[in-house]
Amino acid sequence: MSSRQTQEREWHRQFILERAVTEFAQHGYQGTTMERIAEAAEVSKGTLYNYFSSKRDLFLSLIEWGSGRAREIVEEALEDEEKSIEERIRILVNHFMEFFETGRDIHRILMTEGNRIAVSGPGDLGPAIRSHYLKFITRLAEFISQGQQEGVFRPADPQRAAMVVLNIVGAELSHSIISDYPEPVSTHAEAVADFVLGALGSPVISRGPAR
Amino acid sequence: MSSRQTQEREWHRQFILERAVTEFAQHGYQGTTMERIAEAAEVSKGTLYNYFSSKRDLFLSLIEWGSGRAREIVEEALEDEEKSIEERIRILVNHFMEFFETGRDIHRILMTEGNRIAVSGPGDLGPAIRSHYLKFITRLAEFISQGQQEGVFRPADPQRAAMVVLNIVGAELSHSIISDYPEPVSTHAEAVADFVLGALGSPVISRGPAR
Amino acid sequence: MSSRQTQEREWHRQFILERAVTEFAQHGYQGTTMERIAEAAEVSKGTLYNYFSSKRDLFLSLIEWGSGRAREIVEEALEDEEKSIEERIRILVNHFMEFFETGRDIHRILMTEGNRIAVSGPGDLGPAIRSHYLKFITRLAEFISQGQQEGVFRPADPQRAAMVVLNIVGAELSHSIISDYPEPVSTHAEAVADFVLGALGSPVISRGPAR
Amino acid sequence: MSSRQTQEREWHRQFILERAVTEFAQHGYQGTTMERIAEAAEVSKGTLYNYFSSKRDLFLSLIEWGSGRAREIVEEALEDEEKSIEERIRILVNHFMEFFETGRDIHRILMTEGNRIAVSGPGDLGPAIRSHYLKFITRLAEFISQGQQEGVFRPADPQRAAMVVLNIVGAELSHSIISDYPEPVSTHAEAVADFVLGALGSPVISRGPAR
DNA sequence: CATGAATGAGCGTTCATTCAT
DNA sequence: TATGAATGAACGCTCATTCAT
């Protein structure tokens, strides 16, 4: 097969994934039909199976892709050792918020469906997703641990703290849905970061409009 | 119909709901079949339809019941005006943690399935659930608002803050699932309360083993 | 469940099997759809699954039923020790021919589909069918072995001989299909028995119209 | 188009057929996919359709080819008028057994799938196959008829007798499958011939190890 | 001519719901 | 009221066939 064909095949695969994300985000794993995905991706049902061996495979590919992107965000935000710990947390939240804007759907899946499926999903999706989740959490926990050693954060189980950070960020997503406000979610990145830093124990000096 | 018959009917209905909770918690809304619920409730499939007009109705009844119980917890914890704001938050978290222990399933549904379905569930479960959610959040937001006025909490959008509180508590649930630790979740109520108070802006003086 | 209900359920199951036989006989295992069986049995597709867990299960039940009936025929024909060996073979062939008349379809399945599937069927039907086949062949082989010891039949591998007998009887089925003759297959039982006895080595003295 | 091109095209066609035989033999008509055939023939799926207009056409070509080869065997074995009738039957059986060895697959198809499809196959394969079958049977019947006139065989419907011969040979195939013995089928050609001659009414004087 | 991506009708199977008993 | 057999629409998935390259 020529390289160009391989390339195009990969593009097409990506395209299908991108369209599928929205469906899964809106209807959940079980509620999303291959038929709908096919329509959303503007291909026939059969074509889906030329790219993914099953619905499960498609969904897992999507989780992998999404959690990969999320890990990149964490990495990019945390790796710059020149910046202060607090600064880096703010950047992390910021990047996450922006990721929401463009990848709001994939995040929603990661947060809710992933959470539920990690418990006892159909076709044993659980372990696979849980593993992606853990890689993600672990990196964040390491950073928090470092912050604790430097005295910036108060002592607490780093993994629990990482989970808390993740869920506070997720709370903003829920809030945006419930409140149905018009402005981009990332507008509130500062406010969210305040909650995160507060939870981790850092003295909060909000730089947002409040106060 | 005699009052006693009415009473028994109501008991039976409750019994079915209690058995259904576990199923929904384990398999999600779509993944739970009426067949399974019937078996779990030790009745026939047909009987289910004598008590609930549809699967949707059954699930909604369950959400209503669960979120009702959750609202009671919030109310009980927050109403005692003799206690300090911070004290009441700690009690709230404590009660929630205990609710997890006994009603872990209903909570899991409220947190994950509820969250997802609130967006765009099958058969338009969304609006109904969202309304329950809001009543719940609103009460918490009122209390936080009061705390802010009293200067105990730092200023922030109270509804957003309420959502953050809820999600921090939810984080512990996720953490317990991921970490698969053996002790009761409520063991960690103190640690969770610390995160909550930190996020809300209260100066944290942990009374747990840390420090 | 009352005994009458159980009884009726069993009848219904039998009825479905009887209707299914024709379909499988005409279109083979893979060529027969559950839809067609449902139509033939005058029920909905879903009902089929109230009685059989899968297409495979339905087919296997049918094979079991048919091969059970066939074994009974063999047993009935061969057990009467008062009759001569040759006489019993003639009775056997006769009964088989009559079985064809009423159960032509099940026989066709046993002969052709069974044969093919025994090799490498879909969903590993092979071993199950092969086992039924063997019980059947073994009883016949025992009888032939006895005949050989009594000097009525010439020496030969009894199992091979049993297979030959079965296939000669089967040949008549093929012949009736190819020639498309109008009279009942059992009309030719004598002629078929002559072939069988000849093959087994008994001196043939046909009592049919030939000679 | 040059003759050489035509030639090569024909070769390629043959090659595909030879590879397809194995697939059809193992999985049956319906159970064999064009995908599998393409893989087995080391071409793409599309190419298959350059040589055969449809799966049906491919299968029919294969039946034609196989039954042609079978007819040749019959012809070769029976035409040598110098040999005795009995001798020629033994040669026929022998050749058939050898044909099994090299063309076991095509035979299996002819015997089982062919048999079933002859009745009412998908896409009306029936009549076409039946016609091949008849040509084949008819030649054998003629020979048997001759044997009967010469008094070597007892009187019987020649076509029925031909069918019986064919099925006895087929019995050995079934037997080899059921018994799963290791030696080549042709090892037992003598034994099979004994059964055939016995069935046709010839006095059996086995030349095999038995007696 | 060779390819393999695209197609869509059709398959086996599931399950919420109905209804005669 | 309680039952569970019957239903049929809808699902995930397969595969013979087409066609642009």
Side-chain angles (χ1 to χ4, degrees):
Chain A
M1 198 194 298
S2 80
S3 170
R4 199 177 126 268
Q5 271 178 331
T6 308
Q7 185 67 266
E8 281 189 2
R9 203 181 148 78
E10 190 48 39
W11 283 343
H12 203 172
R13 202 184 127 100
Q14 268 305 314
F15 182 75
I16 293 173
L17 278 182
E18 274 160 37
R19 294 294 177 97
V21 165
T22 310
E23 299 304 315
F24 279 121
Q26 280 179 5
H27 310 103
Y29 179 74
Q30 304 234 40
T32 302
T33 70
M34 291 302 264
E35 183 73 44
R36 289 186 77 98
I37 295 176
E39 274 170 31
E42 290 161 85
V43 295
S44 74
K45 225 181 339 173
T47 298
L48 253 32
Y49 287 88
N50 281 337
Y51 290 89
F52 306 93
S53 65
S54 65
K55 183 184 178 180
R56 183 180 183 279
D57 179 34
L58 201 162
F59 185 72
L60 245 31
S61 301
L62 193 147
I63 292 287
E64 202 156 344
W65 170 50
S67 78
R69 182 73 198 98
R71 276 213 303 287
E72 277 170 35
I73 286 176
V74 175
E75 203 45 61
E76 284 168 17
L78 302 185
E79 71 189 350
D80 184 355
E81 309 220 342
E82 306 253 314
K83 295 208 171 64
S84 76
I85 297 273
E86 191 205 309
E87 196 72 26
R88 280 185 266 173
I89 284 284
R90 288 196 179 273
I91 292 172
L92 174 73
V93 172
N94 243 304
H95 285 195
F96 255 126
M97 287 330 223
E98 275 162 22
F99 177 43
F100 285 10
E101 227 56 59
T102 56
R104 175 192 285 247
D105 290 332
I106 185 67
H107 179 84
R108 187 180 296 167
I109 294 171
L110 252 34
M111 282 291 154
T112 61
E113 195 68 24
N115 218 3
R116 205 182 62 56
I117 274 179
V119 187
S120 73
D124 252 25
L125 289 167
I129 296 185
R130 194 179 306 200
S131 118
H132 285 295
Y133 222 80
L134 268 178
K135 285 188 212 152
F136 183 70
I137 286 294
T138 303
R139 178 64 184 93
L140 190 49
E142 277 169 22
F143 179 76
I144 290 171
S145 183
Q146 184 190 338
Q148 290 170 344
Q149 277 157 32
E150 296 187 12
V152 185
F153 300 145
R154 63 182 175 78
D157 176 356
Q159 204 168 58
R160 172 172 293 123
M163 205 63 113
V164 165
V165 170
L166 212 60
N167 275 266
I168 291 178
V169 174
E172 181 57 24
L173 186 65
S174 305
H175 185 234
S176 78
I177 292 164
I178 296 266
S179 307
D180 213 20
Y181 56 66
E183 70 272 19
V185 207
S186 54
T187 311
H188 306 286
E190 286 292 334
V192 174
D194 288 348
F195 281 114
V196 169
L197 288 171
L200 291 177
S202 156
V204 176
I205 302 152
S206 172
R207 295 178 296 190
R211 166 138 352 169
Chain B
M1 193 193 298
S2 81
S3 169
R4 199 177 127 270
Q5 273 178 330
T6 309
Q7 185 67 267
E8 281 190 2
R9 197 179 152 78
E10 189 49 38
W11 283 344
H12 203 174
R13 203 181 125 100
Q14 266 307 314
F15 182 74
I16 292 173
L17 279 182
E18 273 161 37
R19 293 296 177 97
V21 167
T22 310
E23 299 304 315
F24 278 120
Q26 279 177 6
H27 310 102
Y29 179 73
Q30 305 237 34
T32 302
T33 68
M34 292 300 265
E35 181 75 44
R36 290 186 76 99
I37 296 176
E39 272 169 32
E42 290 161 83
V43 295
S44 75
K45 236 182 324 177
T47 300
L48 250 35
Y49 285 86
N50 281 334
Y51 290 90
F52 306 94
S53 66
S54 66
K55 185 184 177 181
R56 182 179 181 279
D57 179 34
L58 201 162
F59 185 72
L60 245 32
S61 303
L62 191 148
I63 292 287
E64 200 157 347
W65 170 52
S67 77
R69 182 74 198 96
R71 276 214 303 288
E72 278 170 36
I73 287 176
V74 176
E75 203 47 60
E76 286 167 15
L78 303 184
E79 71 188 352
D80 184 355
E81 308 219 345
E82 306 252 317
K83 295 208 171 63
S84 76
I85 297 274
E86 192 206 307
E87 196 72 28
R88 281 184 267 173
I89 283 285
R90 288 197 178 271
I91 292 172
L92 174 72
V93 172
N94 242 305
H95 284 197
F96 254 127
M97 289 325 224
E98 275 162 22
F99 178 42
F100 285 9
E101 228 56 61
T102 55
R104 176 191 284 248
D105 290 334
I106 184 67
H107 179 84
R108 188 180 295 168
I109 294 171
L110 252 35
M111 281 291 152
T112 61
E113 196 69 23
N115 216 5
R116 205 183 60 56
I117 275 179
V119 187
S120 74
D124 252 27
L125 290 166
I129 296 184
R130 194 180 307 199
S131 117
H132 287 295
Y133 223 79
L134 268 178
K135 284 188 213 154
F136 184 70
I137 286 294
T138 303
R139 177 64 186 93
L140 190 51
E142 278 170 23
F143 178 76
I144 291 171
S145 184
Q146 184 190 337
Q148 289 170 344
Q149 277 156 32
E150 296 186 12
V152 185
F153 301 144
R154 65 184 174 77
D157 175 356
Q159 204 168 57
R160 172 172 293 123
M163 203 63 112
V164 165
V165 170
L166 210 60
N167 275 265
I168 290 178
V169 173
E172 182 57 24
L173 187 64
S174 305
H175 184 235
S176 78
I177 292 165
I178 296 266
S179 306
D180 213 20
Y181 56 65
E183 71 270 20
V185 205
S186 53
T187 311
H188 305 287
E190 287 292 333
V192 174
D194 288 348
F195 281 114
V196 169
L197 290 170
L200 292 177
S202 156
V204 175
I205 301 153
S206 173
R207 297 179 293 189
R211 167 140 353 173
Chain C
M1 197 195 300
S2 81
S3 169
R4 198 176 127 269
Q5 270 177 331
T6 308
Q7 186 67 266
E8 281 189 2
R9 202 180 149 79
E10 189 50 37
W11 282 343
H12 203 172
R13 202 184 128 101
Q14 267 306 314
F15 182 74
I16 292 172
L17 278 182
E18 275 160 37
R19 293 295 178 96
V21 166
T22 310
E23 298 304 316
F24 278 122
Q26 278 177 6
H27 309 103
Y29 179 74
Q30 305 233 40
T32 301
T33 69
M34 291 302 265
E35 182 74 46
R36 289 186 76 98
I37 295 176
E39 274 170 31
E42 289 159 85
V43 294
S44 75
K45 230 182 334 174
T47 299
L48 253 32
Y49 287 86
N50 281 337
Y51 290 90
F52 306 93
S53 65
S54 66
K55 184 184 179 181
R56 185 179 180 278
D57 179 34
L58 201 164
F59 185 71
L60 246 32
S61 301
L62 193 149
I63 292 286
E64 201 157 345
W65 169 50
S67 80
R69 182 72 198 98
R71 277 215 302 287
E72 277 171 34
I73 287 176
V74 174
E75 203 46 62
E76 285 167 16
L78 302 185
E79 71 188 352
D80 183 356
E81 308 220 345
E82 306 252 315
K83 295 208 171 59
S84 76
I85 297 274
E86 192 206 307
E87 195 71 26
R88 281 184 268 174
I89 284 284
R90 287 194 179 274
I91 291 171
L92 174 73
V93 172
N94 241 303
H95 285 194
F96 255 126
M97 289 328 224
E98 275 162 20
F99 178 44
F100 285 10
E101 228 56 59
T102 57
R104 175 193 286 246
D105 289 334
I106 184 68
H107 179 83
R108 188 180 296 167
I109 293 171
L110 252 36
M111 283 291 153
T112 62
E113 195 67 23
N115 218 5
R116 204 180 63 55
I117 275 178
V119 188
S120 73
D124 252 28
L125 290 166
I129 296 185
R130 195 181 302 201
S131 118
H132 286 295
Y133 222 80
L134 268 178
K135 284 188 212 152
F136 183 70
I137 286 293
T138 303
R139 177 63 185 93
L140 190 52
E142 277 170 22
F143 180 75
I144 290 171
S145 184
Q146 183 190 340
Q148 289 170 343
Q149 275 157 32
E150 296 185 13
V152 185
F153 301 144
R154 64 185 175 77
D157 175 358
Q159 204 168 60
R160 173 173 291 123
M163 205 63 113
V164 165
V165 169
L166 210 61
N167 275 267
I168 291 177
V169 173
E172 182 57 25
L173 186 65
S174 304
H175 184 233
S176 78
I177 292 164
I178 297 266
S179 307
D180 212 21
Y181 55 66
E183 71 272 17
V185 205
S186 55
T187 311
H188 305 287
E190 287 292 333
V192 174
D194 288 348
F195 281 114
V196 168
L197 290 171
L200 292 177
S202 155
V204 176
I205 302 152
S206 171
R207 294 177 296 189
R211 166 143 353 169
Chain D
M1 196 193 300
S2 81
S3 169
R4 198 177 127 269
Q5 273 177 329
T6 310
Q7 186 64 266
E8 281 189 2
R9 197 179 151 77
E10 188 50 37
W11 283 343
H12 203 174
R13 201 182 128 101
Q14 266 307 312
F15 182 74
I16 292 172
L17 280 181
E18 273 161 38
R19 292 295 178 95
V21 166
T22 310
E23 299 304 316
F24 279 120
Q26 279 176 7
H27 309 103
Y29 179 74
Q30 307 238 33
T32 302
T33 69
M34 292 301 263
E35 182 74 43
R36 289 185 78 98
I37 296 176
E39 272 170 33
E42 290 159 84
V43 294
S44 74
K45 237 185 321 180
T47 301
L48 251 34
Y49 285 86
N50 280 333
Y51 290 90
F52 306 93
S53 66
S54 66
K55 185 183 178 182
R56 183 181 180 278
D57 179 33
L58 201 162
F59 185 71
L60 244 33
S61 302
L62 191 149
I63 292 287
E64 200 157 346
W65 169 51
S67 78
R69 182 71 199 99
R71 277 215 302 287
E72 278 170 34
I73 287 176
V74 175
E75 203 47 61
E76 284 168 16
L78 303 184
E79 70 188 351
D80 184 354
E81 308 219 345
E82 305 252 316
K83 294 207 169 65
S84 76
I85 297 275
E86 192 206 306
E87 196 71 26
R88 280 184 269 172
I89 284 284
R90 286 194 180 273
I91 292 172
L92 174 71
V93 172
N94 243 302
H95 284 195
F96 255 126
M97 289 327 226
E98 276 162 20
F99 177 43
F100 285 10
E101 228 55 58
T102 56
R104 178 192 282 246
D105 289 335
I106 184 69
H107 179 83
R108 188 179 295 169
I109 294 171
L110 252 37
M111 281 291 153
T112 61
E113 195 70 20
N115 217 6
R116 204 181 60 56
I117 274 179
V119 186
S120 73
D124 253 27
L125 289 166
I129 296 185
R130 195 182 303 201
S131 118
H132 286 295
Y133 222 78
L134 268 178
K135 284 189 212 154
F136 183 70
I137 286 294
T138 304
R139 178 63 185 92
L140 189 51
E142 277 169 24
F143 179 75
I144 291 171
S145 184
Q146 184 190 339
Q148 290 170 342
Q149 275 156 32
E150 295 186 13
V152 185
F153 300 145
R154 64 185 175 75
D157 176 355
Q159 203 169 58
R160 172 173 291 122
M163 204 62 113
V164 165
V165 170
L166 210 60
N167 275 268
I168 291 177
V169 173
E172 182 56 25
L173 186 64
S174 305
H175 184 235
S176 78
I177 292 165
I178 296 265
S179 306
D180 212 21
Y181 56 64
E183 71 271 19
V185 206
S186 54
T187 311
H188 306 286
E190 287 291 331
V192 175
D194 289 348
F195 281 114
V196 168
L197 289 171
L200 292 177
S202 154
V204 175
I205 299 151
S206 171
R207 296 177 294 187
R211 173 141 336 177

